[in-house]
Amino acid sequence: MRYEYLYGEIFAMSGGSEEHNCIVGNIYASLLAHLRGSECQIFSADMKVKISLAENDSDFFYYPDVMVTCDPQDTEKYYKSYPCLIVEVLSLSTKDIDKQEKLLNYQSLESLQEYVLVSKTGMKVAIYRRLEVGCWSGEILGKEDCLKLNSVGLTLTMTDIYDEVLIG
């Protein structure tokens, strides 16, 4: 069982669907092939990201679906603190948390350059990019668009992301 830790409370996480796992696998595989031989590390689902909020003097731990860190300071074995890219595949039970709470908390990470939300019910992707300290832009992509991941220098088509996933 996996758990996320927020405000001193532990929350159980449900497992993912077939579509969820295929989308995560497609994105992970593309990133792995693209970043092979670089100083970056790619993680999928089982690696936590730690977020320290000084104003609350508390730490949060989330399990992103896909996370990339290229920071040599990120040496902890069981969690990462300096991701440059985080991807979440939206589930019915978590989409509101991913779009609101996690969006705000992830944006507090100084290292994070892009946060990507991928729908599993249609070819739709939202990407949030850091413009400068404290400023972010958001963009919604549809089935004819490409996802440009500036943080790692990779462009994915919707076919790359949704390969072998039936969207009704």
Side-chain angles (χ1 to χ4, degrees):
M1 193 84 175
R2 291 187 326 165
Y3 300 90
E4 291 186 333
Y5 178 75
L6 306 165
Y7 297 109
E9 293 187 50
I10 297 172
F11 298 91
M13 297 178 59
S14 62
S17 68
E18 181 178 337
E19 295 86 0
H20 187 279
N21 279 287
C22 284
I23 293 167
V24 168
N26 291 339
I27 294 169
Y28 179 85
S30 295
L31 285 164
L32 185 64
H34 178 71
L35 294 172
R36 184 169 277 121
S38 74
E39 294 181 10
C40 299
Q41 295 179 294
I42 304 99
F43 299 98
S44 174
D46 289 329
M47 179 61 70
K48 295 181 291 259
V49 62
K50 177 183 175 183
I51 301 170
S52 298
L53 297 178
E55 66 269 7
N56 295 348
D57 196 33
S58 59
D59 296 332
F60 296 164
F61 290 91
Y62 293 117
Y63 284 96
D65 289 318
V66 179
M67 171 174 51
V68 177
T69 180
C70 302
D71 193 314
Q73 297 177 85
D74 237 340
T75 57
E76 291 293 333
K77 190 172 182 175
Y78 298 105
Y79 64 86
K80 299 301 170 190
S81 300
Y82 304 99
C84 60
L85 170 66
I86 291 177
V87 178
E88 296 281 11
V89 177
L90 299 175
S91 298
L92 198 55
S93 62
T94 64
K95 70 179 180 177
D96 291 336
I97 292 169
D98 291 339
K99 290 178 177 181
Q100 297 167 20
E101 176 186 308
K102 285 184 180 181
L103 173 62
L104 291 174
N105 288 334
Y106 285 157
Q107 287 176 339
S108 73
L109 293 166
E110 291 180 21
S111 63
L112 190 68
Q113 298 171 38
E114 293 170 318
Y115 178 47
V116 179
L117 297 170
V118 181
S119 172
K120 67 178 186 183
T121 59
M123 288 187 168
K124 188 167 122 183
V125 173
I127 181 163
Y128 297 90
R129 288 189 177 91
R130 181 183 302 277
L131 300 175
E132 55 190 61
V133 177
C135 294
W136 288 77
S137 71
E139 181 180 7
I140 305 294
L141 306 172
K143 85 184 205 183
E144 301 302 321
D145 296 315
C146 290
L147 173 61
K148 292 183 174 97
L149 298 172
N150 299 333
S151 59
V152 294
L154 176 66
T155 298
L156 297 172
T157 66
M158 291 298 164
T159 303
D160 295 331
I161 295 168
Y162 290 97
D163 187 38
E164 297 189 26
V165 178
L166 297 174
I167 302 291

